[in-house]
Amino acid sequence: MLLSMTGYGRGQHILDGKTFIVELRSLNSKQTDLRLRCQQSLGEYEMKLRKQVADFASRGKLELTVDIRREDGEDGVSLNLPLLKRLHSELVAYAPFNLGGDAGALLAGLIRLPKVAETQDQELSENDIDALQQATKNCLTNFQAYRVSEGQATEEDLRNSASSIQQFLEQVEPHEAARVTRVRERLKKQLDEFQSRQNVDQNRFEQELLYYLEKIDINEEKVRLAQNCEYFLEELSNEKPVKGRKLSFISQEIGREINTLGAKAQSADIQRLVVQMKEQLEKIKEQLANVV
């Protein structure tokens, strides 16, 4: 199972004429960063809510919104009438022009001013807290379902990219024999040019040639790259919900082996395969940036 780091969930619960609504959004982030938007009356429960959501989401830039609505419309909003009257009087008295026109529009503008319309948070009862907990559970359930759905598509892309690297690696072997032959011929040509100036020990030449061929041997890189790709696919298949960082570490090892393979290639055909492997590896890195 793979979880996407981006997600959205909404949950609600109705109790005693109140509707408790909880919404959670998440974006990519290396760390857990939670922003909570709620009324101050949550008090001590706010810290529990933060921990519950942060532990559940594991990673990501999170935005949690808690809203409590009353069916009777009494949501704790009140007008600061003394301030409203004073502002209206001063506006009428000092305005250098006629304030005629729509009085409703003028009133609507005044109400939007700071401290004219204020929200008075109401204390939450134990039943309210229970209802809020239920709304939060519903929200997290929907949030998780969203991330699982997104994660399934991401997992498929990652699996295809890793399998493509394996396929390109299998295509390297047919080019290895020609690669060694070209290296041997190039060294022999250089040796023939050098022999015109002084004698060369043939046995020493063969020893140096074997040493050089060992330095450019790519068998170890092929084996390690194949093992890392297989390890990557195994991690994708396990049921751990949080594995983005581990997959990133494995992808780094895959990148090291591909780079070393390219540095030792000594073959245009193998280099082309290496470039295609790197292209698939970049796709993997992009996808892993959005994995929990």
Side-chain angles (χ1 to χ4, degrees):
M1 180 176 66
L2 198 66
L3 296 179
S4 170
M5 203 180 305
T6 57
Y8 171 78
R10 185 179 190 275
Q12 71 176 42
H13 188 74
I14 300 175
L15 178 68
D16 298 335
K18 297 178 183 178
T19 301
F20 299 81
I21 302 173
V22 179
E23 291 184 325
L24 178 61
R25 296 176 175 83
S26 69
L27 297 175
N28 299 351
S29 178
K30 292 183 179 179
Q31 307 298 330
T32 302
D33 180 16
L34 174 59
R35 179 183 178 186
L36 176 60
R37 300 174 59 185
C38 64
Q39 63 185 50
Q40 296 180 353
S41 60
L42 283 178
E44 296 180 358
Y45 181 68
E46 177 181 339
M47 298 307 298
K48 296 179 181 179
L49 183 61
R50 282 181 175 275
K51 187 177 186 306
Q52 178 184 3
V53 174
D55 290 346
F56 185 88
S58 299
R59 289 175 62 195
K61 185 176 182 180
L62 309 169
E63 181 177 319
L64 181 67
T65 303
V66 178
D67 188 18
I68 303 175
R69 303 174 185 175
R70 296 176 61 95
E71 292 182 0
D72 55 15
E74 296 181 3
D75 293 325
V77 178
S78 63
L79 289 177
N80 188 338
L81 292 178
L83 178 59
L84 179 60
K85 291 178 181 179
R86 182 169 61 82
L87 290 174
H88 184 271
S89 299
E90 291 179 357
L91 186 60
V92 171
Y94 294 105
F97 51 86
N98 187 358
L99 289 174
D102 189 355
L106 175 60
L107 182 59
L110 289 174
I111 290 176
R112 294 192 187 98
L113 295 176
K115 298 184 180 180
V116 174
E118 298 179 326
T119 300
Q120 298 177 347
D121 292 337
Q122 299 179 356
E123 294 295 328
L124 299 181
S125 65
E126 292 185 3
N127 289 337
D128 290 336
I129 295 297
D130 292 340
L132 185 55
Q133 287 179 337
Q134 185 59 52
T136 303
K137 290 179 181 179
N138 296 340
C139 172
L140 294 179
T141 298
N142 295 330
F143 177 76
Q144 184 78 341
Y146 187 103
R147 292 199 302 176
V148 169
S149 177
E150 292 292 313
Q152 289 174 347
T154 301
E155 180 178 347
E156 186 66 24
D157 289 340
L158 289 171
R159 194 176 298 279
N160 290 338
S161 294
S163 298
S164 295
I165 293 176
Q166 289 179 317
Q167 293 170 8
F168 291 132
L169 179 59
E170 292 172 357
Q171 297 175 36
V172 169
E173 185 174 358
H175 301 292
E176 289 193 71
R179 165 180 171 268
V180 173
T181 299
R182 282 194 296 270
V183 171
R184 182 184 291 273
E185 290 175 352
R186 185 173 70 249
L187 292 176
K188 188 68 170 63
K189 180 180 179 181
Q190 294 174 350
L191 176 63
D192 291 341
E193 294 175 354
F194 186 73
Q195 281 179 328
S196 61
R197 289 177 287 175
Q198 68 181 66
N199 293 328
V200 174
D201 186 337
Q202 190 66 27
N203 291 332
R204 179 64 182 273
F205 168 71
E206 292 294 337
Q207 291 175 1
E208 293 293 333
L209 179 61
L210 289 174
Y211 174 73
Y212 183 75
L213 291 176
E214 286 179 0
K215 285 187 65 176
I216 64 171
D217 180 67
I218 59 175
N219 187 61
E220 288 187 13
E221 285 73 20
K222 288 168 52 184
V223 171
R224 287 197 295 263
L225 179 54
Q227 290 174 342
N228 287 330
C229 287
E230 191 63 32
Y231 187 24
F232 187 89
L233 292 173
E234 288 176 3
E235 284 299 311
L236 274 180
S237 300
N238 70 41
E239 293 301 317
K240 296 179 181 178
V242 180
K243 50 192 171 185
R245 287 193 176 95
K246 189 170 185 178
L247 290 173
S248 294
F249 294 148
I250 300 174
S251 70
Q252 291 174 14
E253 294 301 318
I254 291 175
R256 289 190 184 96
E257 301 304 332
I258 292 176
N259 289 333
T260 306
L261 185 63
K264 291 184 173 183
Q266 302 284 332
S267 166
D269 294 322
I270 295 179
Q271 285 287 5
R272 280 193 287 268
L273 293 171
V274 167
V275 169
Q276 294 179 82
M277 291 182 200
K278 289 183 176 181
E279 181 182 5
Q280 295 300 320
L281 181 60
E282 284 303 309
K283 293 180 180 179
I284 289 176
K285 291 180 178 179
E286 290 175 2
Q287 293 285 7
L288 288 179
N290 189 39
V291 172
V292 175

